[in-house]
């Protein structure tokens, strides 16, 4: 193994899930130098999936969701600076310059700056209009929900659907406005979109598809949304969940190659030697998708970060983990792996219980490309294993 | 003071299939690897998932929620996101009964 002199400093910009896993992995894999983790948020790293569930439903973050604690910092000798905004990176002098004027010299640098919620045109956040990205976002939204009767959610993707489900659980009337023709269209085939639609309608959510929004305005403690067909919705709170944008500006300004995300190889290496990226902000050649891809999932933030930290220490490893994500809505657990959106043929596992589902998705040539399961982890797992191992000749026997 | 509790019959515990039981109100997941039976506290140390709903592979149980691995014999974490151990309880077999000490 490569030697890593203990006088070296590795700086990680971004103290979210990816940044935390890089810091922890560097140490657990034997790096003896200084690890400095810089975060803009006031909180140490935490897992974000509970924000749209636990926090919006009025619960606290579970202890295990905190990825960095004082004990971990002590035990692993990680330096962490919160509320720390990086102004710029100078790749010639290998310096990170913070807004407070402090300068850190790095030997290796990791960008785990993540992504920010995309704002719809004409949408400004306020005490009634929200996006969901941070713990503070979620806490403020939960407080507003506790005093609200009616919510409008813009965007029928995973965040929008989970916000809608949490709002329903608190008794709010909810309308989802989705510009497309179906829910979660980018990540799942129509059969899953329809299942999601039915779940939300059965739970009392109003869903408007093909919803083209003309304008937003706030008036008399209400938010008004006007659609292009002149219809108008009023609500106490408005939430936009229409996707994220990568926070790659700092890297771009430093002269690192970016293209809607920091461009990295399968080891997280950017265009500049000694500088790496992982998590939401990194665009990598995904062998599963067959094209340069960013993934904004919990699993990607964790797994890519671990591989990149090991690769930076000279381990021979590449990031080729099968895409995988889950969602929890109305007490149901939805798991997705591979690229089901590329599927042309849908097969259903008849063996799962009445309320559960397990679908396998095959492409035009009959190869397995993805799977989705609802409350059926035992049926889902063999499909995930087949995909991860590249066993895509799918035995269709027993499926309908 | 710890005591031994009978929690299952030996024949109920199959290879590769976790068995859910409890003793004194403590949820337990029993596993058989080769000839030996092991007992873990039946809750993942990361998420709110039953290890008895998990999957057995290579001496580990994979959490059904987030795919973290825990060593069945010791309860030690083996892969992210699991970083904290799960309690492993001593097991003995008495006249075909699986007894767990807690």
């Amino acid at each position: 193994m490569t030697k890593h002199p203990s006088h070296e400093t590795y700086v990680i910009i971004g103290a979210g899930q990816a940044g935390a896993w890089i810091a922890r992995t560097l140490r657990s894999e034997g790096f003896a130098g200084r690890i400095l983790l810089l975060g803009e948020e006031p909180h140490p790293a935490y897992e974000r999936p509970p924000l749209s569930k636990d926090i919006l439903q009025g619960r606290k973050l579970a202890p295990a969701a905190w990825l960095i604690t004082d004990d971990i910092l002590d035990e692993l000798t990680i330096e962490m600076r919160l509320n720390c905004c990086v102004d710029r990176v100078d790749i010639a002098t290998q310096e990170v310059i913070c807004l407070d004027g402090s300068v850190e010299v790095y030997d290796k640098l990791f960008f785990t700056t993540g992504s920010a919620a995309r704002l719809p045109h004409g949408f400004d956040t306020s005490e009634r209009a929200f996006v969901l990205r941070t713990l503070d976002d979620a806490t403020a939204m939960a407080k507003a929900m506790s005093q609200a009767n009616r919510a409008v959610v813009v965007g029928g993707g995973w965040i929008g659907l989970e916000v809608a489900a949490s709002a329903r659980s608190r008794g709010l009337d909810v309308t989802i406005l989705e510009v497309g023709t179906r829910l979660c269209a980018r990540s799942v085939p129509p059969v899953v979109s329809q299942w999601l639609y039915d779940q939300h309608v059965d739970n009392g959510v109003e869903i408007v598809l093909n919803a083209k929004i003309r304008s937003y305005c706030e008036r008399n403690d209400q938010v008004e949304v006007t659609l292009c067909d002149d219809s108008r919705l009023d609500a106490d709170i408005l939430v936009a969940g229409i996707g994220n944008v990568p926070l790659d500006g700092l890297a771009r300004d430093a002269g690192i190659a970016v293209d809607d995300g920091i461009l990295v190889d399968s080891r997280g290496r950017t265009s500049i030697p000694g500088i790496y990226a992982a998590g939401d902000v990194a665009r990598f050649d995904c062998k599963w998708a067959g094209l340069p891809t960013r993934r904004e999932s919990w699993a990607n933030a964790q797994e890519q970060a671990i591989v990149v930290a090991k690769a930076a220490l000279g381990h021979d490893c590449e990031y080729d983990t099968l895409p995988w994500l889950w969602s929890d809505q109305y007490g149901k657990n939805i798991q997705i792996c591979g690229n089901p959106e590329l599927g042309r043929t849908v097969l259903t596992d008849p063996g799962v219980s009445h309320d559960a589902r397990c679908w396998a998705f095959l492409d035009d040539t009959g190869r397995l490309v993805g799977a989705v399961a609802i409350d059926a982890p035992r049926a889902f797992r063999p499909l995930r294993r087949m995909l991860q191992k590249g066993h895509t000749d799918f035995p269709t026997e027993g499926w309908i | 003071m710890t005591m031994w509790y009978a929690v299952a019959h030996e024949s109920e515990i199959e290879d590769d299939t976790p068995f859910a039981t409890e003793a004194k109100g403590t949820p337990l997941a029993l596993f058989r690897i080769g000839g030996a039976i092991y007992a873990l506290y039946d809750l993942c140390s990361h998420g709110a998932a039953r290890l008895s709903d998990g999957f057995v592979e290579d001496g580990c149980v994979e959490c059904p929620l987030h795919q973290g691995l825990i060593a069945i014999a010791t309860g030690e974490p083996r892969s992210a996101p699991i970083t904290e151990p799960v309690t492993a309880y001593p097991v003995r077999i008495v006249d075909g009964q699986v007894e767990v000490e807690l």
Side-chain angles (χ1 to χ4, degrees):
Chain A
M1 209 170 109
T2 321
K3 286 259 185 246
H4 302 282
S6 56
H7 57 76
E8 287 199 342
T9 293
Y10 287 7
V11 176
I12 303 160
I13 305 177
Q17 197 192 351
W21 277 109
I22 285 183
R24 294 176 67 140
T25 307
L26 286 172
R27 199 59 93 206
S28 66
E29 293 295 323
F31 176 64
R34 178 175 176 234
I35 298 173
L36 177 61
L37 185 56
L38 303 176
E40 283 195 2
E41 285 185 59
H43 310 289
Y46 53 90
E47 298 183 313
R48 296 188 198 274
L51 300 184
S52 51
K53 286 88 98 172
D54 302 57
I55 304 299
L56 289 192
Q57 291 167 27
R59 297 187 295 272
K60 277 188 156 20
L61 217 49
W66 291 101
L67 294 169
I68 295 284
T69 60
D70 288 346
D71 286 348
I72 290 168
L73 294 176
D74 284 349
E75 190 186 322
L76 303 181
T77 330
I78 295 167
E79 282 178 55
M80 180 176 67
R81 219 175 288 160
L82 299 178
N83 298 302
C84 175
C85 293
V86 173
D87 183 36
R88 62 193 173 86
V89 171
D90 188 326
I91 61 175
T93 56
Q94 297 187 208
E95 287 175 331
V96 174
I97 298 101
C98 301
L99 272 183
D100 65 8
S102 60
V103 176
E104 295 291 344
V105 178
Y106 63 83
D107 292 284
K108 287 187 177 173
L109 180 63
F110 300 83
F111 280 92
T112 50
T113 40
S115 60
R118 186 189 300 275
L119 288 176
H121 182 69
F123 182 107
D124 295 313
T125 56
S126 74
E127 57 189 16
R128 278 175 285 279
F130 299 91
V131 293
L132 180 56
R133 181 61 196 161
T134 65
L135 179 57
D136 290 350
D137 290 341
T139 304
M141 200 188 300
K143 182 162 177 277
M145 274 186 183
S146 72
Q147 296 155 6
N149 296 312
R150 187 164 157 63
V152 168
V153 176
V154 179
W158 296 110
I159 290 288
L161 295 185
E162 290 190 352
V163 168
S166 290
R168 282 301 297 147
S169 79
R170 301 187 73 136
L172 277 73
D173 291 330
V174 179
T175 300
I176 295 173
L177 302 175
E178 164 55 44
V179 68
T181 56
R182 58 188 180 89
L183 302 174
C184 295
R186 276 184 305 163
S187 53
V188 294
V191 64
V192 183
S193 297
Q194 186 62 48
W195 184 89
L196 291 164
Y197 184 96
D198 293 343
Q199 284 298 306
H200 282 267
V201 170
D202 287 351
N203 281 282
V205 174
E206 181 190 13
I207 301 175
V208 183
L209 299 174
N210 305 299
K212 311 277 190 292
I213 295 168
R214 177 182 294 153
S215 63
Y216 305 90
C217 92
E218 288 190 32
R219 186 175 299 153
N220 304 329
D221 296 341
Q222 289 273 297
V223 189
E224 291 176 8
V225 182
T226 306
L227 303 184
C228 288
D229 64 3
D230 291 331
S231 60
R232 203 186 85 187
L233 292 95
D234 297 332
D236 302 308
I237 63 168
L238 177 64
V239 181
I242 61 162
N244 287 358
V245 288
L247 293 170
D248 59 6
L250 197 60
R252 184 189 58 230
D253 292 348
I256 298 164
V258 305
D259 180 8
D260 188 32
I262 302 173
L263 300 176
V264 298
D265 66 9
S266 60
R267 294 159 189 251
R269 294 181 291 204
T270 69
S271 60
I272 304 297
I275 302 183
Y276 302 78
D280 286 16
V281 78
R283 182 171 291 277
F284 61 101
D285 269 320
C286 174
K287 80 168 192 180
W288 308 99
L291 73 172
T293 302
R294 283 195 313 109
R295 292 200 185 280
E296 294 166 355
S297 69
W298 173 94
N300 180 70
Q302 172 181 288
E303 297 301 321
Q304 191 180 27
I306 290 172
V307 170
V308 169
K310 289 179 177 174
L313 294 176
H315 293 246
D316 184 17
C317 54
E318 297 194 6
Y319 181 57
D320 62 357
T321 309
L322 184 74
W324 169 65
L325 61 92
W326 83 91
S327 176
D328 293 303
Q329 300 171 26
Y330 306 114
K332 293 191 180 296
N333 176 250
I334 304 153
Q335 296 205 44
I336 299 168
C337 69
N339 296 92
E341 75 280 8
L342 305 177
R344 294 291 171 270
T345 305
V346 187
L347 292 172
T348 305
D349 184 343
V352 300
S353 67
H354 176 65
D355 286 334
R357 296 282 186 283
C358 185
W359 294 286
F361 298 97
L362 314 184
D363 67 7
D364 290 332
T365 65
R367 287 169 3 107
L368 180 66
V369 290
V372 176
I374 317 289
D375 283 346
R378 289 200 180 275
F380 180 73
R381 189 169 185 267
L383 299 174
R384 176 163 67 76
R385 305 294 284 192
M386 282 178 69
L387 281 163
Q388 179 71 57
K389 289 176 178 169
H391 298 164
T392 52
D393 288 334
F394 190 69
T396 56
E397 197 177 327
W399 291 72
I400 53 176
Chain B
M1 199 183 87
T2 60
M3 285 179 62
W4 290 93
Y5 296 86
V7 291
H9 194 270
E10 193 187 6
S11 63
E12 293 179 290
I13 321 300
E14 298 171 18
D15 273 333
D16 300 334
T17 309
F19 183 88
T21 182
E22 60 99 28
K24 217 174 60 175
T26 301
L28 298 169
L30 304 183
F31 303 87
R32 180 191 288 276
I33 302 177
I37 292 176
Y38 300 94
L40 294 177
Y41 184 64
D42 192 13
L43 199 61
C44 180
S45 60
H46 171 255
R50 295 279 180 206
L51 295 179
S52 55
D53 290 331
F55 308 100
V56 177
E57 192 167 297
D58 297 335
C60 291
V61 56
E62 182 187 281
C63 172
L65 265 192
H66 303 132
Q67 301 178 7
L69 295 174
I70 293 163
I72 288 170
T74 61
E76 289 296 315
R78 283 287 179 266
S79 85
I82 297 170
T83 54
E84 296 295 320
V86 172
T87 305
Y89 297 96
V91 174
R92 70 182 185 189
I93 311 292
V94 178
D95 295 337
Q97 288 292 319
V98 179
E99 294 188 353
V100 173
E101 185 182 32
L102 72 164

